[in-house]
Amino acid sequence: MPNQLLNVQDLETHFRTPDGIVHAVNGVSFSLNEGETLGVVGESGCGKSVTMLSVLRLIQSPPGEIVAGKAEYLGQDLLKMSNEEIRHIRGAQISMIFQDPMTSLNPVLTIGKQLAEPLIIHMNMSQEQARDRSVELLEMVGIPNAGDRLKDYPHQYSGGMRQRVMIAMALSCNPQILIADEPTTALDVTIQAQIVELAKRLRDELGMAVIWITHDLGVVAGIAQRVFVMYGGFIIEEAYVKELYANPQHPYTIGLIGSLPRIDETERHRLYSIQGQPPVLYQKPQVCSFAPRCKFAIDKCWQENPMLDPIAPDHRVACWVDLKTGKRR
């Protein structure tokens, strides 16, 4: 059985704003095993990115604050480490690819200098060693003429190539965990497919664990083994990918899957749309936050927030209603 790398329990993160406290993450718990790819799915604002930024202590404070929970990496709680200790984890053992490579890369530093920095800091390489390794990394992610491209600046790369540079930078110190925060956002479909295939190949070659954050269930189907769905700062369903697609048990998950275009349909039909708006999280939800948008809602949904409970081996859901019978669980 694979060893557990990361174990997050009851994570809560708030943001103080002029209008009040936003309860962005509300008691999230999950684990990640060696070599596993975990998909994190949900619409914008559901807490996906904030959860992972909280784990790495990258939440800007103020206005953000991690108010509860623990995140154990190989037995050490990341949330209790000093700033110096967590700096030795970030980039070296747990790396992150951010959504927009243009804003993540420094526009006034060459690609070579930015690639060399983590190698010098974490791997104690000389300038020459770091340059040679940087060339290897760019070649590994498919950048042609890698030696010459080290002297270029981010604006001289296309969007897809900048994302490849971010992947190379994240992999530079051979991390055990790679967190990819919507790495295919704003890229065209062809480049998206290339980035996903690149990530899968490097994951298999390097044997690292991956957390892939996305709003696209289609991408998750091609890269992840296990997936959890977030809504309103909570995990509302968790299962292995095949089980989730074959047997979704939360109305929100059903809506997400129903909104995907299918190429195996014999008849034309309208894509499903989820009516209503996401919740405003100025207060921590005490009832089911999806109830106002849910056609299956019963009285209990308006009285108490459901726990994420197992309904089958390796399948958990936070819903009061058994969708097969329409009755309360």
Side-chain angles (χ1 to χ4, degrees):
M1 189 169 179
N3 293 327
Q4 191 177 86
L5 284 179
L6 183 65
N7 182 30
V8 176
Q9 293 293 324
D10 303 318
L11 181 66
E12 293 190 32
T13 301
H14 296 172
F15 289 89
R16 296 184 182 276
T17 73
D19 296 323
I21 296 176
V22 176
H23 296 73
V25 178
N26 297 307
V28 166
S29 299
F30 68 92
S31 62
L32 179 71
N33 296 325
E34 283 184 347
E36 180 182 35
T37 301
L38 176 66
V40 184
V41 181
E43 61 195 56
S44 296
C46 71
K48 309 183 300 295
S49 298
V50 173
T51 295
M52 299 309 160
L53 290 171
S54 299
V55 167
L56 283 178
R57 301 253 302 278
L58 289 172
I59 296 294
Q60 185 174 348
S61 179
E65 182 184 3
I66 302 167
V67 297
K70 62 180 181 179
E72 291 187 346
Y73 169 68
L74 298 178
Q76 296 179 291
D77 191 349
L78 299 173
L79 305 185
K80 292 183 178 178
M81 287 183 175
S82 67
N83 289 335
E84 187 64 28
E85 288 172 329
I86 194 71
R87 269 197 290 267
H88 288 295
I89 298 292
R90 289 195 297 249
Q93 299 177 55
I94 305 176
S95 285
M96 190 162 184
I97 306 168
F98 298 94
Q99 285 189 33
D100 185 355
M102 197 60 207
T103 56
S104 301
L105 292 167
N106 191 322
V108 299
L109 295 179
T110 64
I111 293 298
K113 188 168 182 61
Q114 295 184 66
L115 274 170
E117 184 178 17
L119 295 168
I120 294 169
I121 292 173
H122 293 300
M123 309 290 279
N124 296 318
M125 289 186 180
S126 66
Q127 290 284 353
E128 187 176 348
Q129 289 172 325
R131 186 194 181 283
D132 291 343
R133 175 62 174 156
S134 297
V135 172
E136 289 177 16
L137 289 164
L138 289 187
E139 289 174 344
M140 183 172 67
V141 298
I143 301 291
N145 304 316
D148 296 332
R149 299 308 304 267
L150 287 178
K151 296 177 291 212
D152 289 344
Y153 290 85
H155 72 271
Q156 294 173 277
Y157 283 66
S158 68
M161 291 175 74
R162 285 195 293 267
Q163 197 59 282
R164 288 171 184 267
V165 170
M166 290 300 300
I167 293 173
M169 197 175 295
L171 298 178
S172 60
C173 299
N174 300 318
Q176 289 191 292
I177 300 174
L178 175 67
I179 301 173
D181 186 3
E182 303 204 36
T184 58
T185 298
L187 301 178
D188 66 57
V189 176
T190 304
I191 303 300
Q192 283 185 28
Q194 291 175 3
I195 295 296
V196 170
E197 286 305 313
L198 172 63
K200 288 165 65 176
R201 177 174 63 80
L202 295 174
R203 173 199 67 191
D204 295 340
E205 289 178 1
L206 303 175
M208 62 189 173
V210 177
I211 299 175
W212 192 278
I213 304 169
T214 183
H215 58 266
D216 189 342
L217 271 168
V219 171
V220 166
I223 195 168
Q225 284 107 29
R226 191 161 54 92
V227 59
F228 65 75
V229 182
M230 290 192 68
Y231 186 83
F234 295 93
I235 296 176
I236 51 95
E237 188 161 8
E238 178 186 359
Y240 282 98
V241 168
K242 289 183 179 179
E243 167 69 10
L244 189 83
Y245 280 74
N247 188 30
Q249 287 296 301
H250 194 283
Y252 179 64
T253 310
I254 291 173
L256 287 182
I257 293 174
S259 67
L260 284 175
R262 309 251 324 220
I263 61 172
D264 59 347
E265 294 286 348
T266 56
E267 298 181 8
R268 294 176 64 183
H269 68 285
R270 283 184 176 273
L271 295 179
Y272 183 83
S273 63
I274 302 173
Q275 302 300 315
Q277 298 293 323
V280 178
L281 297 173
Y282 287 124
Q283 292 184 336
K284 184 176 179 179
Q286 301 300 313
V287 302
C288 177
S289 54
F290 189 65
R293 307 172 73 183
C294 181
K295 64 182 180 182
F296 299 97
I298 59 175
D299 290 345
K300 184 69 173 177
C301 303
W302 298 96
Q303 298 166 0
E304 188 178 343
N305 199 13
M307 299 291 290
L308 187 65
D309 290 326
I311 57 169
D314 302 313
H315 193 161
R316 299 189 298 163
V317 67
C319 185
W320 291 118
V321 182
D322 184 335
L323 302 186
K324 291 181 179 178
T325 64
K327 299 178 180 178
R328 180 179 164 182
R329 294 187 190 278

